[in-house]
Amino acid sequence: MVDVPAKEEIGHWEEDGYWWSDVVYRCNQCGETFTTKDALFVHEGDLSTCWSYTEVPGESYWVKTGQHWVVDEPAQEEQGHWEYR
């Protein structure tokens, strides 16, 4: 006789990953940022107003590396007992 019916596992998927940011180049004189050194060098031009830069982290973004299953409620086997007739 079944006392407690079986129950399937309940859960959900969650992403695995990490936050990352690419390097950008910030002009030390005016503060403008550039994604490439070539663009920065064009900005610096004749070096009369802007002539140095610093590498800084750019805007952060999420890099997904996979996913994993999180169990909210574990599965339960059927429970019961034998009766003699």
Side-chain angles (χ1 to χ4, degrees), residues 20-38:
W20 185 257
S21 62
D22 296 321
V23 170
V24 296
Y25 307 94
R26 183 180 60 213
C27 176
N28 290 334
Q29 284 67 46
C30 70
E32 192 170 347
T33 58
F34 304 90
T35 57
T36 66
K37 281 187 180 180
D38 289 340

Side-chain angles (χ1 to χ4, degrees), residues 1-84:
M1 173 170 258
V2 175
D3 296 323
V4 178
K7 187 171 71 170
E8 288 189 27
E9 178 177 272
I10 298 174
H12 64 278
W13 289 100
E14 289 188 0
E15 280 188 355
D16 294 327
Y18 57 91
W19 287 98
W20 185 257
S21 62
D22 296 321
V23 170
V24 296
Y25 307 94
R26 183 180 60 213
C27 176
N28 290 334
Q29 284 67 46
C30 70
E32 192 170 347
T33 58
F34 304 90
T35 57
T36 66
K37 281 187 180 180
D38 289 340
L40 173 71
F41 295 151
V42 168
H43 165 76
E44 289 178 342
D46 65 4
L47 305 178
S48 61
T49 57
C50 298
W51 60 87
S52 65
Y53 67 91
T54 303
E55 291 183 7
V56 296
E59 193 159 330
S60 297
Y61 57 91
W62 180 254
V63 178
K64 182 179 176 181
T65 58
Q67 58 185 7
H68 66 276
W69 180 253
V70 176
V71 177
D72 297 321
E73 291 182 34
Q76 181 178 342
E77 291 187 21
E78 178 179 273
Q79 297 176 1
H81 64 277
W82 291 98
E83 290 186 0
Y84 293 101

